[in-house]
Amino acid sequence: MRNEKWTFGIEGLHCAACVRRVEQALKAVPGVTGASVNLAVEEAVVSADPGQVQTAALEKAVAASGPYRLILPDPSLSAESANEASETRKQGEIRVLKRRTAAGAVLSILIMALSMGHSWPLLNRIPHAAAGPAAWALTTVLLAWVGSGFFRDAWSAARRRTSDMNTLVAVGTGSAYVYSTLALVFPGWFASGDGLPPLYFETAAMIITFVLLGRTLETAARRRTSEAMTGLIRLQPPMARVSRNGLETDIPADRVRIGDVVMVRPGERVPVDGRILDGRSSIDESLMTGESLPVAKKAGDPVTGGTLNGAGGFRMTATAVGRDTVLGRMIRMVREAQASKPSVQRLADRVASVFVPAVMATAAVTLAAWLAAGRPFSDGLTAFISVLIIACPCAMGIATPAAVTVASGAAARRGILIRNAEILETAGQTNVVVFDKTGTVTEGRPKVTAVFAAAGWSETEVLETSASAESRSEHPLAAAVLEEAKIRGIRPSPAESFETLPGLGASAMIGGRKILIGSPRLLQDAGVNPDPLVEYTDAWTGSGMTVMALAVDGRAAGAIAVSDPVKPDAAASAAALAADGIRTVLISGDNRRTTETVGRAIGVDEILAEILPGQKAEEVKRLQDGGATVVMVGDGINDAPALATADVGMAMGSGTDAAADAADVTLIAGGLSAVHRTIRLSARTRRIIRQNLFWAFAYNTVGIPVAAGLLVPVFGIQMNPALAALAMSLSSVSVVLNSLRLKNAV
């Protein structure tokens, strides 16, 4: 079965119960293998077999689950246009909320003035007989217009035999309104000591107004959690100038095809990934590399979509378009990370599934307890309404996704792509970081520094034979040999056969001769006498250089010394990790002396040398078996098994696709220092999530008993339902604001 991931917008989400209901509806569609809904950004990521699932079925399932709407992407819109449409829709939602909140505030003040006129000097002359009906009329308008959404959504949920936050608000305000209406029309039914039953029109009005105020503030704050994603999308230029059939024309950037010739003018953003055909310029690649200085580019150099062109113009061939560009992959990974959930969220989801029914049952028991104690019905009703209103499933629903959204967006802005939310939870527990050497700790651009020819051979012959054998290899050391041969004007001969020997080198047949080139260990394993090379190979390895030994037809022919400079931030990164109590390990297939030289230079705690690719994963497993939470950092194909085995795999953005595919985190920019920043971001995100969840649960744990009347026997204090509504609204806003502290955590 083929699986694809689709991202959709969702309208109508308000609390954790909404999220759970929509997820269950999507997962119930045949062919759907997974669904995750993010309340903070109001999006769903669905994993499904496109051969079995139609978007219409998903749309129907979401609509059937409640007052929700699945927003299908418009294929005619570019990513930026689609994002602008989404922003426009959300801004419209906030405008409506602001208008209704303002109207609710005005009506609530008038209703409160009428209800409490006897306490206000200028209003105490209004007769009770007139004030009551006027308050009823204004409250009716407020509930029917300003608060209509709560009742509509609550009814929709009730028809499907479910409940959510809207149910609590609708039942609470509806109870206050119905009781007050009956008390106004039939005062004798609820007569108190002075013969005038209390009315709660102002309570119903203030609840609606405060809840709307909280929703307005929360929606505005939630928009800020996805600013990083919006920033990434805006890096994609909407148009591109392409040359087709000899004509230059401007087309939407998402309609550029691989192989198209694209013109990039001074000051424009590069529309897609490609390679320069002609022209030269300097390009701001800070998005990808973190380097603030522009990089000079000429014909043959690669360029990345979304980067900013300088003063020159050039033509380029498109090599990756749409979702397959580096920027497209960044956006997709961030979206998927934001929609995923760490394990800590599962507790909140389980609680949310029974929260609203439990609160309604608690409210009913509270009312019964007050009546059983012989207290007036009005006091019991006040407690009943307060319990319903103060309960807040919103804070529980948004506690984790708000933090994950802000953290993953902040990381992406700095070139750190996190694949899923579980990594944000796991990486913060790291106590061992394993670094691959070549291409990770070192620059990955080795250069030949010396050549030795054994008796009967010349340096030119050694280089020519070595380059011929390595001409089919993609290893960085092979590239160094080929580059040196090119510099010396040596043309490699074609190889009749070629075989990579992982961790050792390669073998080839050239002109009927068997060639072995690789580590001295390769020659020893093949029974070749290394004595003619030992003097030079030992000296080179002692100096920290990598040695490539050459054998032809079973006899040592020469050796090549290759040096690969250590990255300038490697030592500082290892020191930063050590300062946080994290042990560092350097692992390499290179010889021990070279690996130890590099390890000592950067200051790691442990060095593992001459480790074959298949053994790297075993070494990671050994560390895990010792109780360590392991981060593996690598860049090559041979690192992929170890990256997949580690608790968290981090791939350098300059590495291979295989490494990136196996990794949980891709470090596009920031060098090795990004490893430490990612771990610290994870630790801080864990703290924020736990703070959010603690606040959400503590708020409800304390707030509901107080609303039920816990303080009445001791202090004689009973919570006002309007105050309960304000507290409930501010609780979810505080969770979002706390999450926004992660924006500058990287």
Side-chain angles (χ1 to χ4, degrees), residues 211-262:
V211 173
L212 279 176
L213 174 63
R215 188 169 288 184
T216 303
L217 294 174
E218 181 188 337
T219 303
R222 271 168 28 191
R223 281 187 62 215
R224 291 175 58 195
T225 66
S226 57
E227 284 177 352
M229 172 62 75
T230 300
L232 284 176
I233 292 173
R234 285 177 178 166
L235 289 174
Q236 295 180 304
M239 304 296 290
R241 174 166 287 254
V242 301
S243 175
R244 290 178 179 170
N245 301 320
L247 298 175
E248 292 186 5
T249 181
D250 291 327
I251 65 172
D254 55 1
R255 295 186 184 176
V256 175
R257 299 191 296 261
I258 292 176
D260 275 346
V261 175
V262 181

Side-chain angles (χ1 to χ4, degrees), residues 284-508:
D284 179 357
E285 294 185 329
S286 55
L287 164 71
M288 302 299 164
T289 65
E291 294 292 337
S292 57
L293 294 176
V295 179
K297 296 285 184 177
K298 61 183 185 303
D301 289 341
V303 289
T304 305
T307 54
L308 184 63
N309 184 31
F314 57 86
R315 294 193 314 150
M316 56 175 277
T317 302
T319 57
V321 298
R323 289 165 53 92
D324 296 326
T325 63
V326 171
L327 184 57
R329 293 200 302 272
M330 287 176 66
I331 292 170
R332 186 167 67 253
M333 284 182 68
V334 174
R335 281 194 187 279
E336 291 174 3
Q338 290 179 347
S340 61
K341 296 181 181 181
S343 57
V344 70
Q345 178 65 17
R346 293 168 194 157
L347 172 61
D349 288 344
R350 285 198 297 271
V351 173
S353 66
V354 297
F355 183 80
V356 174
V359 168
M360 295 183 69
T362 302
V365 170
T366 298
L367 176 60
W370 276 79
L371 296 179
R375 301 298 294 268
F377 178 80
S378 59
D379 290 350
L381 181 64
T382 297
F384 173 81
I385 295 169
S386 295
V387 170
L388 289 175
I389 298 305
I390 202 169
C392 187
C394 308
M396 286 189 294
I398 206 167
T400 299
V404 168
T405 298
V406 176
S408 58
R413 236 183 12 250
R414 288 160 179 78
I416 300 170
L417 300 185
I418 298 170
R419 191 176 294 275
N420 61 63
E422 287 285 355
I423 301 311
L424 279 170
E425 187 173 12
T426 305
Q429 303 173 66
T430 300
N431 45 33
V432 175
V433 174
V434 180
F435 291 102
D436 174 57
K437 181 177 76 70
T438 305
T440 301
V441 168
T442 63
E443 293 286 359
R445 293 189 293 271
K447 295 181 179 179
V448 172
T449 54
V451 178
F452 167 70
W457 289 79
S458 67
E459 286 190 9
T460 299
E461 290 173 327
V462 168
L463 260 180
E464 180 185 2
T465 305
S466 299
S468 300
E470 295 280 29
S471 59
R472 296 191 196 177
S473 175
E474 295 182 357
H475 196 280
L477 296 180
V481 171
L482 290 167
E483 179 65 22
E484 182 66 17
K486 181 179 178 182
I487 291 171
R488 298 194 186 192
I490 297 171
R491 297 187 63 180
S493 303
E496 290 106 46
S497 66
F498 173 82
E499 181 185 1
T500 297
L501 305 173
L504 296 172
S507 67

Side-chain angles (χ1 to χ4, degrees), residues 6 14 88 142 145 272 277 368 379 411 468 490 603 660 678 682 700 703:
W6 302 327
H14 297 300
T88 301
L142 187 146
W145 173 44
V272 295
L277 285 174
D379 290 350
S468 300
I490 297 171
T678 303
S682 170
N700 284 290

